[in-house]
Amino acid sequence: MKHIIINVGRQVGAGGQEIGRMLARDFEAKFYDRELLNLAAKESGFSEKIFKQNDEKKGFLRGLFNIQAPHMIGGLYGSNFSQDSLFQFQSDAIRKAAGEGSCVFLGRCADYILRDFDNVVNVFITASMDFRVELVSKVKGLDAEHARRLIEQVESRREQYYNYYTGKKWGAAESYDLCVDASLLGLEDTEKLIADFIRKRFGL
């Protein structure tokens, strides 16, 4: 299988995680969602808990000063430590994983971080609000009102994070190679459509 990188952006509740995992199976690729947080923690020497607490949040450094990492002082990042350092650690982990073999990355600005890599395809998955509310309600055990509120809160944070670190607009068609509405075909057929696009794109 050719070495390819698939970056999946997604609206909350649009099925991006499920579709990403299916794509990883189809293309014999490693799937990275929250797994990236563990990689970033190993790269940085900080606790994975810090990355989880601040996942996809702009200027994310909450709770860092409760972590003791004396080996970082004066190290690669220690002399210039800022609120953006955790993003840098995560970016390094993404680049390292991408260099080792085929990968599917879910969110976390991977399309921007890997913009100079070859054999990359950037996909954005959207869906109708009704579809997303239904999916989030089912997964989280929420009623429709609370599911909608959760979607709006998480998406606002995700959009701010992406726009802040990339200088682009989250969800805008020009930022991606393919944008698709998963509520039209359902998750499995949407994945097949994306997979077919990728095969044609790379001549697989």
Side-chain angles (χ1 to χ4, degrees):
M1 182 67 73
K2 190 174 184 178
H3 181 173
I4 61 171
I5 307 298
I6 305 168
N7 299 315
V8 179
R10 74 287 187 213
Q11 287 187 310
V12 177
Q17 184 181 73
E18 294 88 342
I19 290 171
R21 290 189 185 280
M22 287 188 278
L23 287 168
R25 288 194 293 270
D26 257 5
F27 292 95
E28 300 177 12
K30 291 185 177 179
F31 177 76
Y32 291 100
D33 179 11
R34 291 207 161 211
E35 294 85 352
L36 281 172
L37 308 182
N38 181 51
L39 288 178
K42 289 180 179 178
E43 288 291 307
S44 67
F46 289 109
S47 167
E48 184 179 352
K49 182 179 179 181
I50 296 302
F51 289 88
K52 287 181 178 179
Q53 288 176 341
N54 298 283
D55 190 23
E56 290 192 300
K57 296 174 184 173
K58 183 180 74 170
F60 61 135
L61 202 61
R62 297 188 326 180
L64 177 62
F65 297 105
N66 293 324
I67 297 299
Q68 294 182 353
H71 60 284
M72 290 300 299
I73 304 302
L76 180 60
Y77 301 94
S79 60
N80 273 315
F81 206 84
S82 73
Q83 286 199 335
D84 296 332
S85 294
L86 290 181
F87 178 78
Q88 185 62 55
F89 291 135
Q90 188 166 271
S91 298
D92 290 346
I94 288 171
R95 292 189 191 96
K96 182 176 180 180
E100 292 175 350
S102 294
C103 299
V104 175
F105 293 104
L106 190 67
R108 296 173 181 84
C109 302
D111 59 310
Y112 176 77
I113 292 164
L114 301 175
R115 62 194 181 279
D116 296 326
F117 275 59
D118 295 327
N119 298 328
V120 172
V121 61
N122 301 315
V123 176
F124 191 83
I125 300 170
T126 184
S128 69
M129 180 58 80
D130 287 345
F131 179 95
R132 294 190 286 142
V133 166
E134 183 178 350
L135 185 61
V136 171
S137 294
K138 181 179 179 181
V139 172
K140 299 291 187 180
L142 301 173
D143 61 34
E145 180 182 349
H146 285 88
R148 183 183 294 268
R149 193 178 305 162
L150 178 63
I151 288 169
E152 291 171 350
Q153 291 173 347
V154 175
E155 284 201 344
S156 176
R157 188 175 69 225
R158 188 175 288 173
E159 180 178 9
Q160 290 176 24
Y161 174 89
Y162 183 89
N163 295 352
Y164 177 79
Y165 284 111
T166 69
K168 301 195 296 179
K169 183 172 176 56
W170 178 79
E174 60 265 26
S175 296
Y176 309 93
D177 301 307
L178 178 66
C179 298
V180 59
D181 185 337
S183 58
L184 297 177
L185 299 177
L187 302 189
E188 290 189 5
D189 284 343
T190 296
E191 188 274 338
K192 291 176 183 177
L193 184 151
I194 295 170
D196 188 50
F197 172 84
I198 292 170
R199 290 187 183 99
K200 290 180 178 178
R201 167 81 181 271
F202 295 127
L204 300 177

